[in-house]
Amino acid sequence: MAANLSAEDLLCPQCSGIYCLPVLLKCGHNICRVCLHKFWEWKRCRECPVCGSVSVPGRPPINLALKIAAEEYQTQRYTSKNQEVCFFHNEKLKIFCNNDEEPICLVCQVSKQHKVHECCPVEEAAHQKKAEVSAMLEALRKKLRLLNKTKKQWDETKTYIQTQAYQNEKVIKEEFEKLHQFLWEEQNTRLKVLKREEETKIQVMCEKLENIKDQIETLSSTISDVEMALREKDLPFLQDYKQTKKRVKCNVQEPECVRDILINSAKHLGSLKYGIWKKIANAVKYVPVTLDPNTAQSNLKFSEELTCVRYSTKLPVPDNPERCTSRVCVLGADGFTSGKHSWTVEVGQGKDWHIGVARESIKRKSTIFLNPTEGFWVIGLCNGDSFWAQTSPRTKLVMKQKPDTITVALDYEKGKVVFTNAADLTAIHTFKDRFTERIFPFFSPGLYEDGKNSTPLTICPLTIKVDVE
């Protein structure tokens, strides 16, 4: 170390540690380059952390002489570690300074630098600091477990995206095979859109998986190094304590919640026949609501064009943020924030079902009640004989005849949801409320009946004539 420099001269005024790549500012103060950049980012201006002077534009130069002196000091300190003696006083390191977090000798303890600091014996400090680092290490292990769990889920999501793409492609091909030769161009166009979406979303998941793999490797390496440090003897452990503590305190970001990553099946399959046939036919069937399988509970199965849903065997689907897992239900693909909307549902001879609307912010992963307070405006049939409006408390509905088809009419501005028997247009029930967010159609078919699949809920199509001039 340079003869005219003391240990205090080698301390960064920002981090209080030995200089690491010190840079010289115009005002004459030296700062670690990393410390300076962090300070500038936090301050949002190029001030000196010591005196507040504004630095000139450009990169501050490295103080080469100070850098060499700091490196020599660190080398000499490392050499002195093996001797377990103080670099300044050649005395044994028996005391640990809690303020500076480093071992010192008895002479250092009474010196000007440490006499007002809180100190304790090395053995006591080692026991305490090892416990402290162990606790921090457990937090890193917990995050590592979370990262590994998330990676597994993302691997499953990636596979499911490919499965979705394959299933959608199969349905699209089957529909196009029913048409004449001149429709092949339309088919190829739709398949290319699907393929682009699959490739884009697979690429996104691949990038995210690579990112989380890097995080796992980095965190695993850190944990391994810290575990090795914990196995060191007390004094070497304490001598490296600052660096060990800094590594344990590394900022590990929580895995992001990947939303809207699944294949948009509603876009590809919703009203598929209508989209194709309206180009060549005078009349087609159109369904006003398309079911969104990405929101469906895992036991629900859909028809080809996502207009019919029934309870079936459990499917291997990912637990994406949009999916409802607390109830056997599915939402419509499109929500409403204004206007009037209606659709008719064929409930058939089902014994248990619920239909209506739900707001976008419903709790999809935890148990909830089907009432307006929780964001649901629905009616349903229980045990095949009693109809209920899911108010709070719920209201029993008295009807002369059990309806097979029910029309749900939503008036967003007036805050009304009206249920009508589609056969004779008699009113069943009306909800009145105030809507403040996007509202989605809601469908919940019954469970298994006597070992057979449940009766499906089917959205009835509308007849639309297509006139071409």
Side-chain angles (χ1 to χ4, degrees):
M1 183 173 65
N4 61 338
L5 291 178
S6 64
E8 289 77 5
D9 296 325
L10 300 178
L11 299 179
C12 171
Q14 186 68 8
C15 66
S16 300
I18 302 299
Y19 281 116
C20 178
L21 287 179
V23 295
L24 179 62
L25 300 178
K26 182 180 179 181
C27 59
H29 292 113
N30 294 285
I31 308 289
C32 291
R33 187 166 66 180
V34 174
C35 296
L36 181 62
H37 289 168
K38 287 182 178 179
F39 179 79
W40 282 354
E41 289 178 3
W42 171 77
K43 193 72 174 177
R44 296 184 182 275
C45 65
R46 298 170 62 88
E47 289 184 359
C48 171
V50 179
C51 65
S53 300
V54 178
S55 299
V56 296
R59 182 180 298 178
I62 294 177
N63 189 331
L64 187 59
L66 188 58
K67 174 178 177 293
I68 295 173
E71 290 175 348
E72 289 179 354
Y73 176 71
Q74 292 282 41
T75 302
Q76 292 172 354
R77 285 191 65 190
Y78 179 77
T79 303
S80 68
K81 287 180 184 179
N82 298 328
Q83 302 172 356
E84 299 186 357
V85 295
C86 176
F87 173 71
F88 298 106
H89 308 108
N90 203 32
E91 296 285 339
K92 285 190 175 183
L93 302 172
K94 297 183 178 181
I95 305 297
F96 182 77
C97 175
N98 287 305
N99 295 71
D100 293 336
E101 296 184 331
E102 62 180 3
I104 59 176
C105 69
L106 292 173
V107 179
C108 288
Q109 184 181 13
V110 298
S111 68
K112 180 180 180 181
Q113 182 181 358
H114 296 282
K115 67 179 181 179
V116 296
H117 289 178
E118 180 183 348
C119 301
C120 64
V122 163
E123 294 78 7
E124 179 183 335
H127 178 76
Q128 177 185 353
K129 299 305 180 184
K130 283 186 177 182
E132 178 183 330
V133 173
S134 296
M136 298 167 69
L137 183 61
E138 181 55 35
L140 291 184
R141 291 194 184 104
K142 184 177 180 180
K143 289 186 177 181
L144 178 61
R145 289 192 294 269
L146 177 60
L147 289 174
N148 281 316
K149 180 180 178 181
T150 303
K151 176 183 175 297
K152 181 181 178 182
Q153 292 174 341
W154 287 359
D155 278 325
E156 293 172 352
T157 299
K158 175 186 173 183
T159 301
Y160 185 73
I161 290 173
Q162 294 171 321
T163 302
Q164 275 191 306
Y166 169 76
Q167 293 173 344
N168 290 344
E169 181 178 1
K170 180 180 178 181
V171 173
I172 292 172
K173 287 182 177 180
E174 288 175 352
E175 291 298 332
F176 275 94
E177 286 172 0
K178 299 175 184 178
L179 305 176
H180 296 288
Q181 183 65 34
F182 62 87
L183 291 177
W184 282 108
E185 183 177 353
E186 179 74 9
Q187 177 188 14
N188 291 334
T189 300
R190 289 177 177 263
L191 289 177
K192 286 178 181 178
V193 171
L194 172 63
K195 194 65 178 178
R196 281 198 300 269
E197 182 178 356
E198 177 193 4
E199 291 172 352
T200 299
K201 293 185 175 180
I202 288 295
Q203 182 180 357
V204 169
M205 290 309 303
C206 287
E207 292 173 356
K208 292 186 180 299
L209 285 167
E210 286 298 322
N211 183 49
I212 201 170
K213 285 178 184 177
D214 293 340
Q215 292 184 49
I216 290 173
E217 291 176 2
T218 301
L219 186 54
S220 298
S221 175
T222 299
I223 291 175
S224 177
D225 293 343
V226 174
E227 289 176 339
M228 185 179 297
L230 288 172
R231 291 193 292 268
E232 292 283 350
K233 293 181 179 180
D234 292 349
L235 190 55
F237 166 78
L238 293 175
Q239 289 170 332
D240 289 333
Y241 172 70
K242 283 186 180 179
Q243 187 64 27
T244 303
K245 181 179 179 181
K246 184 182 295 185
R247 297 200 67 180
V248 174
K249 284 185 175 181
C250 64
N251 183 22
V252 181
Q253 295 181 349
E254 297 292 336
E256 64 176 297
C257 183
V258 185
R259 296 182 178 276
D260 298 322
I261 189 62
L262 302 183
I263 295 295
N264 191 342
S265 300
K267 179 184 71 173
H268 296 293
L269 306 181
S271 300
L272 180 60
K273 289 180 180 178
Y274 171 76
I276 299 169
W277 288 356
K278 71 177 182 178
K279 297 182 179 181
I280 60 173
N282 292 326
V284 295
K285 291 182 178 180
Y286 168 72
V287 178
V289 172
T290 298
L291 303 176
D292 186 357
N294 291 345
T295 67
Q297 195 267 350
S298 58
N299 284 93
L300 295 183
K301 185 177 181 181
F302 301 88
S303 65
E304 292 177 352
E305 289 196 359
L306 306 175
T307 61
C308 178
V309 59
R310 69 164 71 235
Y311 187 91
S312 186
T313 54
K314 188 172 184 179
L315 301 174
V317 296
D319 186 16
N320 49 296
E322 302 86 2
R323 192 172 305 283
C324 299
T325 58
S326 62
R327 282 190 173 273
V328 181
C329 65
V330 61
L331 301 180
D334 297 317
F336 312 114
T337 56
S338 63
K340 296 180 180 180
H341 310 272
S342 66
W343 55 94
T344 300
V345 183
E346 182 181 343
V347 297
Q349 300 302 313
K351 295 182 178 180
D352 290 279
W353 48 261
H354 289 91
I355 60 173
V357 300
R359 65 189 179 204
E360 186 173 19
S361 63
I362 58 172
K363 296 178 181 178
R364 307 188 183 202
K365 309 298 182 183
S366 57
T367 303
I368 47 179
F369 296 100
L370 292 178
N371 58 49
T373 303
E374 298 287 351
F376 298 88
W377 296 266
V378 302
I379 66 170
L381 176 65
C382 297
N383 301 320
D385 57 6
S386 59
F387 290 89
W388 297 88
Q390 297 298 322
T391 53
S392 184
R394 64 179 185 167
T395 303
K396 189 169 185 179
L397 304 176
V398 180
M399 288 180 281
K400 295 180 180 180
Q401 186 178 0
K402 182 179 178 181
D404 292 330
T405 54
I406 298 176
T407 298
V408 183
L410 167 69
D411 189 329
Y412 192 95
E413 279 75 17
K414 291 185 177 181
K416 293 174 64 176
V417 184
V418 181
F419 297 86
T420 307
N421 187 334
D424 56 14
L425 302 182
T426 56
I428 298 175
H429 185 76
T430 299
F431 286 94
K432 293 184 178 180
D433 213 321
R434 181 173 177 268
F435 302 132
T436 58
E437 59 180 273
R438 191 177 298 275
I439 300 296
F440 287 84
F442 175 89
F443 306 87
S444 178
L447 304 182
Y448 277 107
E449 298 177 356
D450 301 326
K452 299 180 180 179
N453 284 355
S454 66
T455 301
L457 294 178
T458 303
I459 304 169
C460 300
L462 304 176
T463 300
I464 299 178
K465 292 184 178 180
V466 180
D467 296 325
V468 180
E469 296 183 359

